[in-house]
Amino acid sequence: MNVNLSSKIKMNITHKSIRTITGLLCLVFLLTVSSCDEDKYLQKVPPTLIEAADVFSTPERIESLVNGVYASLKLANFYGGRLLLFSDVRGEDFINTGGNSFTGFDAWNHSYSSGAADILNVWSAGYSTINKANILIDGIAKYPDVVTATVATQYVGEAKFLRALSYFSLVTVFAQPYNKDGGASPGLPLRMQAETTLANNDLARSTVAQVYAQILKDLDEAEAALPANRGTTAGSLLNTTRVHKNTAIALKTRVYLNMGNYAQVIAEAKKIAPQAVAPFSAPAATGVAHALQPNVVTVLATDYTTTESILSMQFTSLDMLAGQSALGYMYYATPDYILNPTQIFSNPQWAATGDTRRGFITRRVVSSQNRDYLNKYGTAAPYLRYMPVIRYAEVLLNYAEAAARVGGAANLALAEELLKAVHKRSDAAYVFPALDQAGLISAILIERRIELLGEGFRSNDITRLMLPFPAKTGTVYSTPAVPTDAPSYIWPMSNDELLNNKLIN
Amino acid sequence: MRKQLLTCVALFFTLCLYAQDRVVTGTVKDNGSALPGATVLLKGTSKGTATDADGNFSLSVPSDGTLVFNFLGFRSQEIVVGNQSVINVTLDPDEQQLAEVLVVGYGTQAKKEFTGAATRIKASDVQDIPVQSFDQALIGRAAGVQISLPNGVLNNAPVIRVRGVNSISQSSYPLFVIDGIPVTAGDNLGTTTVTNNPLADINPSDIESIDVLKDAASTSIYGSRGANGVILVTTKRGKEGKAKVTYDGWVGWTKAVRLPDLLGAEQYMEIKNEARRNAGQADAFFPSYNADGSLVDTKWYDYMFQTAVSHNHALSISGGSAKTSYFFSTNFSRQEGFLVSNEFDRQGMRFNVDHELNKWVKLKAGINYTNSENRAPNSGSLDGNAQGIIGAARMAYTLSPNVPAYNADGTPALNMADANATIGNGANTVVSVYYNPLTLFPLFKNKSMNDRILANGGVTLTPLKGFTFTTNYSIDRLRVDNVSSAAPLPGSSGYSTKGSVSNITGIINNTDFSNTLQYETRLGEHHITALVGSDVQKFSTDQWGANVQQAADTYFTSYQGTWGQISSTGNVLTSKSFLSYFGRFNYDFGSRYFLTINYRKDGNSSLGAARKWGDFGGVSGGWTISEEGFYKDLTLANTLTSLKLRASWGRVGNGNLGPYASLNLYASGLNGAAPALGISQAGNADLGWETGDQTNIGVDLGLFNDRVQVDFSYFNNDVSGLILGVPQSASKGIPNNSIVANIGSLYNRGIELAISGEVLKKSKFSWNASFNITTLKNRVTSLATEGSRLVSNSSGNPFNMTEVGYSVGTLFGAVTNGVNPANGRRIYINKEGKEVQYSLVVPAGDFQWSYLDGSRAAAITAADYQPLGNALPTWYGGFSNTFKYGNFDLALNFTYSGGNYVLNGNTGTWLDQRYFNNSEKVLNRWQNPGDITDVPRLVYGDNFASANIPNISAYIEKADFIRLQNIMAGYRLPSPVLSKLGVNSARLYVQATNVFLITGYSGVDPESSINGNRNTSPGVEYNSLGNGRTITVGVNVGL
């Protein structure tokens, strides 16, 4: 090869320089390439979730937080329906045919252990609703200027109502009845502050009486804080899906009834049923004009926002429950419960024909037997019927029972009038026999089982009166009576509490 | 690639040749095929050459010279030239030498210079094992690495634990780095029904070697990602020479094994009606008859399990020139599981290329595309599925044998009164909630499909002598489609909603950009290597989907049909990053003294705002005593040929956190039509790193000229700042009742011993064996507060607990003390230590829960539960043997483990006193006063004493076992046959996996884990499928 020496040297120098420069560039590159904006890599916020610091930043978000408490109340294992089913099937009016612990068999069979999924779920659903209410109350105080004072007051009232309803639901299944000993029994841990940190894990139970006192305090404050009406037209959606003054009053009739404080039931009921004779209705001047509707089937099956539905859980095709979370599935579609033929189903007070409420029952032939199923929550997916939480009919029956128990001619007459208002709305032809005080109370209790069948009242109606749970005999499963002193008379506390809260006994 | 480097070196020598003496020519071969790039050196000089593409060489040498033939991975050979002018050489493979280079983080290292703890697994050990992903084939291969298959469903991620459970709530899955790409691994990307192990996207045949890094000194270069060990996978690359073509294929058959013996129809009716009568209820189980009058006695196993047929094919073409080499492969796999309708398909291609642009610039690039799809019915074997009514294992155990599978008209027997048309009930008056597998399996379909691209490109520059700059960019882009389709037809779980189809599609993107600069120099006996680098990793998940119900026509089973209802489901949008700087310094003196220092600084976006950065690193040292002059004079040196001491200490982190773990978050939803917000995560702004301080002390021995090699290590890993979901009192109402915090510490201590070598070699016969054993002690040393106990759930049941003084995930439950011979009730011990007996149904005046004197007792609750046994093996290992005789080879791979307990929750199902079928064990039930048995009196509906709450001490069993994991017999076709066929090499083999199991465990499989890799819930078998037995025949062909 004929190469000029100088050019060869030059080439070498050039090569060497290129390589040296490249080497230096490499170093620079290495040191700088990833030290670019650290924040870009390390400070990440989720694009579909909102950080705590921002949730109280706008009126819209606070409104959403309020709706969030309702959404929590509507969890499948709470007022979404399963808790109501558990409560009903603990009573004597249903027979379990499935034996499936995922559809409430252990509630029916009185065989819950503290680790049962239903126990864990109901306990957690209740307390998660309570915590969301507490977070709302706490946040509104911490961010006072985002919404007006009026709106803030209303929101706090709503939160208190929802907290009260949650505590009431829990205390009536997880603690001894108030009437056992005037509320002296151990109740629930009473969580009254927002919990989002590791602190405050241990908290002892308050007594049943303390829990009731808190519920009533919340409801009284809610009544004062809540708006009288959420819509100008009758049947406004929000008057059924959000709470207002009368909702708090209505719930108080339920709470006082549980405590055997009949005078207070009457006092509260009078606010929304001031009449002495039918038709009863809440005065429009002070709030939503609640009244019984002509057809109860319509109220529950098609027209969910009448003035009879004081509070209901709303479902839409984007916000609904399905399968074993849906009552329509468990009562009707799968179906795991038949109406106990020997109980309320065949009670003479419930005419086999002519009572509109028989429309909630469908007879089908299963295993060559006639079986009667509750269709109150629909018969096929999707299950979009609103879940009733408080109906005016219940308030009237609470009122009737309190009046009947207090006694005296006027009260007994009023009680009978209230009972008939509820009964004759569905069966005008029915003629009650002559009713003395005891007979009247008994008729009212039967009426509750007919009118509120499947709406979650039966367990509490048994325990508040300190009655044993009757034995149930079915074709496949049977379960013995549960006396009031049996451990299974109430539900065991959740393992999630027992294992983690050291002050729980 | 190494071949290539040698080629370069050889070429350099060639250029320096002077014409002299005479010319010798020849060919270098390895057992048949030519070896291009082998070096031929004149001994004692720097004179030499390299073989060309056909293995030929030509070299001028003096006649008294000696030629040394070298090729990496082969034993070198010396030949005296004498008067020969043609010298043909066949080199023998040297497996030991192959093992002598280890792949370490961001580079390679000679094993003799390595002072950490690592194990290399060769491709040949794993490539013919019939699995879906290569990690499943590593069982028993490496000391310290415990791998088990949690169940027999296809494409499960195995449970992998390198030196024990090193975390409680974070993943204990090692980091997998494939050709420098840290890949998505370990997660189940499928649904709760169908599994999807992302490592199955790697074709096992493409793997060249697997290196497992075990101690912090080796893994700390990966900083916060190295806490659970690092598994480095190197795939095959092209070598200089003419194109080589290989084909590997097998076909196999799989069957279920160790299924329990269940009751037949008559026994079933007898047992169940006895339970009914004991509960004071009328008989409810009655015979059904076939058309021919015979009793219906359905063997449901026959409708749910099958002899599965699988086949797998892999083809590769590789080769290269002096400057450029390439490797291409393609594979196709179609596998069936022993569970009916469980299927796995994979097809993929890999291409990579290496190119030397000039003396100082080298380029490499590779791309791998894989499409895999797994289809499965709900097996009941995945996390959270143990008690589902559509779980196949539970169905197989519990379906009533006296119920017909088909109606008289040949259609599947269904209960049309049920909204979903569940299984028919025959003549039984009890209604079953289960489905008929004849309709459920075909009508409820689940699949998880991956489209995966793994690609990387890199440049290596050597601008100045000793300096190497490497830049690498890699992409792991994975698209996952999960489809769950329940047909709108009777007997499908979606019948009541007129069908239900969910399609969820997601992109899981993971990119990594790393840059390193290395300097290496030798000054006399000093050898220094220093490396600095940076690494940026970004992970993002973007997933969305929809569920449709209410089919317009019963024909529709796919999302694209017409549906009356649609709602969103499966939405995930997250991202997280790691930002890292690291360095490594290696120093050795005279190949006797070694020192390595590692450091890495890691930033992790998941951690609390002020705690994102962590410092990790390690130091290790070694002393090769056998290289010392004084040692070589010892007589011991004749036996103990090599002796190296090594020790290391390091700190690593565990950054496998959810992307936003430290934040308090609120999720949006709907209340009716109104927007709703609610707390979805209570975070912890103080969340910091979980770190492990790992000590490793070891010795490497070579005996009898290194024919036998012994690796011994002691390790101690102290993990502190454990990130735990601290269980909160449920009354706090916090989402999931849990908040993450750094609140604990634990350690893993143990020893590892690996012995391998040539046991025997006599002419045509050889026996190589490799044995490893690891002992492990795992203890939790502190938790949030004194005496706190973390209870972890399996499908909602508190089966495990973690507490100071115990191993992670210790089994937990009620202590029992047999069955009361007087009345057949199971006896429990409550927390006061008193004996309490239980019967669901009792006569008036008696109590469900009573003391043995008959007085009322409180029910046993979780408050009475006690620790019932360590669930983590305290010893485990493998023992593999390879025998060769002429062209025959035989390999046996045993695995064993023990010292732990397993909860045989199946027993609960097998004795369940609802309408469930039972195993034959139930025949030992208590019947009469005085009966001594471990099966209580049968009471219909009993959900507690024997059944649905199975965590009782009576069901805790020892898990010790020995398994013949693989046996393989092969035959290499002899050369005359091969040449007639025109192929280079061909081997036929027969192979079997899970051949037998020796264990005292009475459940299905002692390695079962219904919670997969979840650290806190090991050792539970409950309504899950065991592993099948697979027999394959296969062929390896080289062209």
Side-chain angles (χ1 to χ4, degrees):
Chain A
M1 197 159 59
N2 226 346
V3 179
N4 177 305
L5 189 66
S6 65
S7 81
K8 192 173 179 180
I9 290 167
K10 202 172 158 191
M11 259 177 68
N12 279 345
I13 289 170
T14 315
H15 266 141
K16 207 171 175 184
S17 315
I18 290 171
R19 289 166 65 168
T20 311
I21 290 162
T22 313
L24 287 170
L25 281 176
C26 288
L27 258 178
V28 173
F29 187 54
L30 179 68
L31 293 174
T32 57
V33 71
S34 46
S35 56
C36 42
D37 196 6
E38 249 178 53
D39 281 356
K40 185 179 132 200
Y41 292 110
L42 298 186
Q43 303 298 337
K44 298 269 184 188
V45 291
T48 57
L49 297 165
I50 295 171
E51 280 199 78
D54 300 326
V55 287
F56 285 95
S57 61
T58 69
E60 291 76 16
R61 283 189 185 160
I62 296 179
E63 172 96 5
S64 292
L65 285 166
V66 175
N67 280 315
V69 190
Y70 286 94
S72 184
L73 189 77
K74 204 171 66 184
L75 287 169
N77 282 293
F78 213 41
Y79 279 89
R82 284 175 60 95
L83 173 61
L84 307 189
L85 177 135
F86 300 151
S87 176
D88 277 301
V89 302
R90 289 191 88 203
E92 66 275 53
D93 292 330
F94 291 93
I95 292 296
N96 182 290
T97 55
N100 184 353
S101 28
F102 288 89
T103 54
F105 177 74
D106 294 303
W108 182 84
N109 198 37
H110 304 288
S111 51
Y112 276 129
S113 68
S114 55
D118 291 342
I119 297 297
L120 304 182
N121 291 338
V122 170
W123 181 269
S124 281
Y127 272 107
S128 110
T129 309
I130 289 164
N131 195 35
K132 282 176 180 151
N134 286 336
I135 287 172
L136 181 63
I137 294 168
D138 180 63
I140 284 176
K142 278 187 187 147
Y143 302 90
D145 301 326
V146 186
V147 292
T148 64
T150 317
V151 171
T153 307
Q154 289 182 9
Y155 285 165
V156 171
E158 267 180 293
K160 286 181 175 169
F161 175 91
L162 295 166
R163 181 168 72 185
L165 176 58
S166 302
Y167 272 123
F168 180 76
S169 312
L170 295 178
V171 80
T172 48
V173 287
F174 288 106
Q176 291 293 340
Y178 184 91
N179 286 336
K180 182 184 179 187
D181 47 16
S185 303
L188 305 169
L190 204 48
R191 298 277 181 182
M192 299 302 294
Q193 61 187 53
E195 296 292 354
T196 60
T197 69
L198 292 160
N200 310 323
N201 204 40
D202 302 326
L203 181 67
R205 300 164 85 168
S206 297
T207 64
V208 170
Q210 286 167 329
V211 176
Y212 271 84
Q214 182 59 47
I215 291 167
L216 288 169
K217 180 170 183 286
D218 274 345
L219 290 177
D220 284 337
E221 289 169 6
E223 183 189 347
L226 286 168
N229 205 315
R230 291 181 178 274
T232 49
T233 56
S236 158
L237 172 74
L238 293 181
N239 279 336
T240 296
T241 61
R242 297 273 293 269
V243 302
H244 43 80
K245 261 188 211 315
N246 288 354
T247 326
I249 295 164
L251 183 56
K252 277 195 275 180
T253 66
R254 190 188 289 182
V255 177
Y256 281 123
L257 189 68
N258 249 48
M259 300 167 77
N261 189 341
Y262 304 118
Q264 280 298 328
V265 177
I266 292 169
E268 296 294 339
K270 265 189 180 154
K271 296 181 191 169
I272 50 174
Q275 301 82 0
V277 291
F280 296 93
S281 68
T286 57
V288 179
H290 298 298
L292 291 181
Q293 302 299 305
N295 186 329
V296 68
V297 173
T298 312
V299 169
L300 293 173
T302 52
D303 193 3
Y304 312 122
T305 58
T306 67
T307 53
E308 178 166 345
S309 294
I310 301 178
L311 177 64
S312 298
M313 298 285 98
Q314 182 191 3
F315 294 105
T316 62
S317 60
L318 286 179
D319 177 29
M320 60 164 187
L321 297 168
Q324 291 172 343
S325 295
L327 292 203
Y329 180 84
M330 291 187 283
Y331 275 127
Y332 194 90
T334 197
D336 279 347
Y337 294 94
I338 54 175
L339 282 156
N340 189 341
T342 66
Q343 290 291 346
I344 197 65
F345 179 78
S346 56
N347 192 290
Q349 194 168 314
W350 193 4
T353 55
D355 192 318
T356 316
R357 294 170 296 193
R358 289 281 171 182
F360 288 124
I361 311 291
T362 304
R363 171 160 290 184
R364 288 186 283 176
V365 178
V366 176
S367 301
S368 319
Q369 294 174 325
N370 282 328
R371 291 181 169 182
D372 296 288
Y373 294 95
L374 184 72
N375 67 31
K376 213 172 215 178
Y377 300 105
T379 57
Y383 302 99
L384 297 178
R385 291 188 184 181
Y386 286 20
M387 192 69 55
V389 180
I390 305 174
R391 278 202 292 133
Y392 194 58
E394 180 218 339
V395 175
L396 298 185
L397 290 172
N398 293 344
Y399 190 10
E401 186 179 336
R405 287 185 189 276
V406 170
N411 274 329
L412 292 179
L414 173 65
E416 192 160 337
E417 189 71 13
L418 287 161
L419 168 66
K420 285 178 178 169
V422 173
H423 190 94
K424 295 197 174 239
R425 177 261 296 260
S426 296
D427 185 4
Y430 184 78
V431 181
F432 279 95
L435 297 166
D436 58 7
Q437 185 176 20
L440 185 57
I441 292 170
S442 162
I444 292 166
L445 289 173
I446 287 167
E447 193 67 26
R448 286 178 74 89
R449 287 164 67 188
I450 301 168
E451 179 69 22
L452 303 174
L453 183 68
E455 293 179 40
F457 288 88
R458 190 57 195 147
S459 168
N460 185 42
D461 279 347
I462 289 173
T463 56
R464 74 182 165 90
L465 299 173
M466 291 300 294
L467 302 168
F469 283 96
K472 290 170 276 198
T473 306
T475 49
V476 185
Y477 299 100
S478 298
T479 190
V482 177
T484 56
D485 63 345
S488 58
Y489 192 65
I490 58 168
W491 283 359
M493 191 184 287
S494 159
N495 267 352
D496 288 340
E497 195 69 30
L498 292 172
L499 291 170
N500 298 312
N501 182 347
K502 290 201 194 63
L503 294 177
I504 283 292
N505 39 42
Chain B
M1 194 167 111
R2 235 167 304 290
K3 255 188 185 179
Q4 236 181 293
L5 284 172
L6 288 173
T7 312
C8 302
V9 175
L11 282 172
F12 172 75
F13 287 125
T14 317
L15 293 172
C16 305
L17 266 182
Y18 302 90
Q20 193 192 345
D21 306 318
R22 63 201 176 81
V23 175
V24 173
T25 59
T27 313
V28 181
K29 289 185 164 184
D30 77 330
N31 205 6
S33 65
L35 278 179
T39 57
V40 187
L41 265 178
L42 182 59
K43 196 175 180 181
T45 71
S46 58
K47 234 174 90 178
T49 184
T51 55
D52 66 11
D54 298 321
N56 299 321
F57 72 94
S58 165
L59 186 66
S60 240
V61 289
S63 53
D64 61 343
T66 300
L67 287 180
V68 184
F69 295 85
N70 265 312
F71 194 84
L72 192 85
F74 291 81
R75 289 204 186 113
S76 69
Q77 242 183 69
E78 296 185 6
I79 291 174
V80 179
V81 176
N83 53 7
Q84 303 176 81
S85 60
V86 177
I87 299 178
N88 292 327
V89 177
T90 301
L91 295 181
D92 294 325
D94 182 349
E95 308 217 324
Q96 216 152 287
Q97 195 188 335
L98 266 184
E100 285 194 344
V101 172
L102 290 167
V103 179
V104 296
Y106 304 96
T108 57
Q109 206 171 357
K111 193 182 177 205
K112 62 179 181 133
E113 295 171 4
F114 185 72
T115 47
T119 303
R120 162 159 282 210
I121 298 161
K122 296 193 304 287
S124 56
D125 287 339
V126 298
Q127 72 171 14
D128 294 325
I129 311 283
V131 290
Q132 297 83 51
S133 61
F134 68 89
D135 48 341
Q136 297 170 331
L138 305 180
I139 296 174
R141 298 292 182 182
V145 184
Q146 191 208 357
I147 300 178
S148 50
L149 297 174
N151 57 59
V153 184
L154 291 177
N155 205 22
N156 260 290
V159 177
I160 302 186
R161 295 194 173 116
V162 178
R163 293 183 166 179
V165 170
N166 288 301
S167 183
I168 292 181
S169 64
Q170 305 311 300
S171 169
S172 255
Y173 221 69
L175 172 67
F176 277 84
V177 179
I178 298 176
D179 293 332
I181 314 173
V183 297
T184 303
D187 304 321
N188 172 20
L189 302 176
T191 64
T192 52
T193 303
V194 57
T195 53
N196 181 338
N197 174 5
L199 289 179
D201 294 332
I202 308 299
N203 173 16
S205 291
D206 285 347
I207 293 173
E208 175 79 35
S209 65
I210 296 164
D211 293 272
V212 185
L213 308 182
K214 297 181 287 194
D215 71 330
S218 332
T219 60
S220 60
I221 194 80
Y222 287 103
S224 64
R225 311 207 58 197
N228 304 310
V230 180
I231 297 185
L232 301 164
V233 177
T234 308
T235 62
K236 291 174 180 163
R237 301 192 84 86
K239 289 166 186 163
E240 190 185 335
K242 68 174 190 189
K244 276 178 112 172
V245 176
T246 66
Y247 167 78
D248 300 306
W250 54 258
V251 56
W253 298 267
T254 307
K255 275 186 137 169
V257 291
R258 287 176 62 90
L259 292 171
D261 292 324
L262 302 178
L263 302 182
E266 283 192 58
Q267 288 173 317
Y268 170 80
M269 291 184 283
E270 178 196 332
I271 287 290
K272 294 293 151 181
N273 286 328
E274 178 183 321
R276 294 281 300 179
R277 290 190 286 264
N278 287 345
Q281 302 190 16
D283 287 7
F285 299 88
F286 305 102
S288 290
Y289 297 96
N290 297 312
D292 62 4
S294 59
L295 180 72
V296 166
D297 189 358
T298 307
K299 308 285 183 225
W300 289 104
Y301 284 169
D302 297 346
Y303 299 102
M304 306 182 71
F305 300 127
Q306 63 183 358
T307 300
V309 182
S310 303
H311 54 105
N312 185 76
H313 313 272
L315 183 73
S316 79
I317 306 168
S318 65
S321 66
K323 300 253 182 195
T324 309
S325 63
Y326 62 89
F327 175 88
F328 171 83
S329 78
T330 180
N331 69 93
F332 175 81
S333 197
R334 188 180 165 84
Q335 304 188 29
E336 283 182 350
F338 60 80
L339 179 61
V340 166
S341 79
N342 184 197
E343 294 162 327
F344 172 80
D345 296 344
R346 174 180 56 223
Q347 48 225 328
M349 286 187 189
R350 170 179 293 273
F351 180 70
N352 61 49
V353 61
D354 295 272
H355 179 62
E356 189 182 327
L357 192 65
N358 56 40
K359 277 184 187 164
W360 61 285
V361 180
K362 280 183 200 149
L363 308 170
K364 67 190 269 185
I367 186 163
N368 180 25
Y369 168 77
T370 302
N371 168 239
S372 63
E373 183 174 306
N374 198 25
R375 296 178 290 277
N378 188 313
S379 62
S381 306
L382 310 187
D383 200 349
N385 286 353
Q387 283 162 292
I389 56 170
I390 54 173
R394 196 180 189 217
M395 282 167 71
Y397 300 151
T398 58
L399 293 182
S400 309
N402 69 336
V403 165
Y406 292 99
N407 296 316
D409 63 2
T411 56
L414 302 175
N415 169 19
M416 294 307 294
D418 180 90
N420 278 333
T422 46
I423 193 167
N425 297 299
N428 298 342
T429 57
V430 170
V431 178
S432 171
V433 300
Y434 290 99
Y435 289 86
N436 189 330
L438 290 168
T439 54
L440 184 67
F441 284 6
L443 296 178
F444 178 48
K445 294 186 165 178
N446 299 277
K447 68 175 180 182
S448 186
M449 185 185 83
N450 290 357
D451 267 314
R452 179 96 173 256
I453 292 172
L454 274 166
N456 62 342
V459 183
T460 301
L461 307 175
T462 42
L464 298 169
K465 186 172 159 35
F467 284 93
T468 310
F469 174 78
T470 305
T471 184
N472 245 309
Y473 184 72
S474 64
I475 299 169
D476 174 3
R477 187 173 174 86
L478 171 57
R479 178 182 146 151
V480 185
D481 284 289
N482 287 318
V483 176
S484 171
S485 164
L489 291 167
S492 146
S493 54
Y495 183 43
S496 73
T497 55
K498 293 188 191 154
S500 177
V501 179
S502 294
N503 277 31
I504 299 173
T505 184
I507 299 278
I508 297 169
N509 215 22
N510 165 9
T511 61
D512 184 296
F513 183 36
S514 72
N515 290 281
T516 58
L517 179 67
Q518 182 173 303
Y519 177 70
E520 182 169 10
T521 187
R522 286 180 191 275
L523 294 165
E525 290 201 288
H526 304 276
H527 177 204
I528 292 170
T529 313
L531 175 113
V532 290
S534 71
D535 199 331
V536 187
Q537 281 181 77
K538 292 200 282 181
F539 306 83
S540 64
T541 301
D542 182 347
Q543 183 178 295
W544 60 277
N547 170 265
V548 288
Q549 299 184 351
Q550 308 293 335
D553 191 295
T554 55
Y555 176 67
F556 297 134
T557 56
S558 48
Y559 174 82
Q560 290 85 343
T562 301
W563 303 84
Q565 189 182 307
I566 177 165
S567 57
S568 68
T569 185
N571 291 338
V572 179
L573 186 59
T574 62
S575 62
K576 69 170 186 173
S577 307
F578 285 98
L579 186 56
S580 319
Y581 304 97
F582 53 85
R584 177 168 56 210
F585 175 77
N586 291 322
Y587 169 75
D588 70 72
F589 179 76
S591 298
R592 298 196 294 280
Y593 309 102
F594 303 92
L595 174 71
T596 302
I597 299 169
N598 277 319
Y599 169 73
R600 171 144 159 165
K601 186 174 183 67
D602 257 3
N604 181 348
S605 66
S606 305
L607 297 173
R611 305 229 178 166
K612 295 198 186 279
W613 288 97
D615 294 294
F616 309 99
V619 57
S620 61
W623 178 25
T624 307
I625 301 173
S626 53
E627 289 292 320
E628 297 283 3
F630 70 83
Y631 185 87
K632 289 180 176 167
D633 298 335
L634 299 176
T635 46
L636 180 66
N638 296 331
T639 339
L640 190 58
T641 337
S642 62
L643 168 63
K644 184 168 89 177
L645 304 179
R646 54 189 161 77
S648 75
W649 179 89
R651 172 170 292 176
V652 287
N654 190 345
N656 297 326
L657 274 172
Y660 310 112
S662 68
L663 305 177
N664 268 308
L665 296 171
Y666 286 71
S668 179
L670 291 172
N671 180 44
L677 266 180
I679 186 165
S680 61
Q681 174 174 292
N684 177 358
D686 294 329
L687 194 65
W689 287 97
E690 177 174 311
T691 56
D693 287 352
Q694 304 182 355
T695 308
N696 187 77
I697 298 168
V699 55
D700 295 341
L701 308 176
L703 295 151
F704 319 116
N705 273 329
D706 292 351
R707 212 176 88 183
V708 175
Q709 299 215 320
V710 179
D711 281 15
F712 173 85
S713 290
Y714 161 81
F715 61 89
N716 180 18
N717 183 9
D718 286 314
V719 185
S720 57
L722 280 172
I723 295 175
L724 284 178
V726 184
Q728 301 293 298
S729 298
S731 62
K732 288 176 77 178
I734 280 169
N736 303 316
N737 299 324
S738 159
I739 300 178
V740 287
N742 302 89
I743 56 148
S745 52
L746 61 78
Y747 68 75
N748 286 295
R749 282 174 198 161
I751 56 168
E752 283 170 14
L753 175 66
I755 304 172
S756 62
E758 200 172 62
V759 181
L760 211 60
K761 179 158 174 94
K762 273 187 180 164
S763 66
K764 285 178 155 183
F765 179 77
S766 70
W767 174 17
N768 284 68
S770 164
F771 168 84
N772 72 73
I773 185 163
T774 304
T775 70
L776 185 71
K777 184 178 179 189
N778 173 283
R779 283 290 177 276
V780 176
T781 48
S782 73
L783 282 179
T785 51
E786 199 67 32
S788 64
R789 174 179 279 180
L790 301 168
V791 173
S792 34
N793 287 337
S794 305
S795 296
N797 306 294
F799 287 168
N800 301 76
M801 61 123 228
T802 297
E803 190 176 326
V804 172
Y806 293 89
S807 62
V808 173
T810 293
L811 296 168
F812 184 57
V815 179
T816 54
N817 188 23
V819 170
N820 188 345
N823 56 19
R825 299 183 189 183
R826 183 170 312 277
I827 298 170
Y828 296 81
I829 314 280
N830 69 14
K831 60 174 177 277
E832 281 94 36
K834 291 188 181 143
E835 290 190 319
V836 171
Q837 59 186 353
Y838 171 80
S839 175
L840 173 69
V841 178
V842 290
D846 200 345
F847 306 104
Q848 283 188 326
W849 290 96
S850 60
Y851 294 109
L852 299 195
D853 65 5
S855 61
R856 172 181 277 163
I860 294 287
T861 69
D864 299 291
Y865 287 1
Q866 301 295 326
L868 300 179
N870 159 44
L872 302 175
T874 57
W875 47 267
Y876 57 84
F879 180 40
S880 61
N881 292 277
T882 309
F883 303 92
K884 283 187 178 159
Y885 181 80
N887 287 348
F888 292 93
D889 58 84
L890 174 69
L892 298 151
N893 179 28
F894 293 90
T895 60
Y896 53 88
S897 119
N900 58 319
Y901 293 85
V902 57
L903 168 60
N904 181 6
N906 290 329
T907 315
T909 305
W910 297 341
L911 298 178
D912 194 304
Q913 285 316 314
R914 285 171 284 178
Y915 47 83
F916 296 7
N917 197 7
N918 294 141
S919 76
E920 288 180 350
K921 183 179 167 73
V922 78
L923 300 173
N924 301 328
R925 72 220 179 264
W926 184 95
Q927 284 172 290
N928 297 298
D931 284 357
I932 307 286
T933 172
D934 58 350
V935 181
R937 176 172 177 265
L938 306 179
V939 178
Y940 194 77
D942 182 353
N943 224 350
F944 201 97
S946 54
N948 219 15
I949 314 293
N951 54 327
I952 59 175
S953 59
Y955 297 164
I956 303 287
E957 298 186 38
K958 277 178 97 91
D960 304 2
F961 74 90
I962 296 178
R963 195 195 300 266
L964 179 53
Q965 184 68 35
N966 299 100
I967 181 168
M968 181 182 288
Y971 173 67
R972 272 190 300 127
L973 265 53
S975 307
V977 179
L978 291 174
S979 53
K980 267 184 211 160
L981 295 170
V983 298
N984 269 338
S985 65
R987 175 173 168 267
L988 308 171
Y989 64 87
V990 180
Q991 184 277 157
T993 57
N994 191 18
V995 186
F996 62 77
L997 180 66
I998 302 172
T999 181
Y1001 178 62
S1002 71
V1004 180
D1005 197 315
E1007 290 192 281
S1008 268
S1009 168
I1010 60 164
N1011 301 298
N1013 267 295
R1014 198 138 58 83
N1015 294 336
T1016 48
S1017 302
V1020 179
E1021 177 167 66
Y1022 189 25
N1023 300 334
S1024 63
L1025 296 171
N1027 284 300
R1029 177 178 300 143
T1030 304
I1031 295 173
T1032 58
V1033 295
V1035 60
N1036 309 114
V1037 181
L1039 297 169

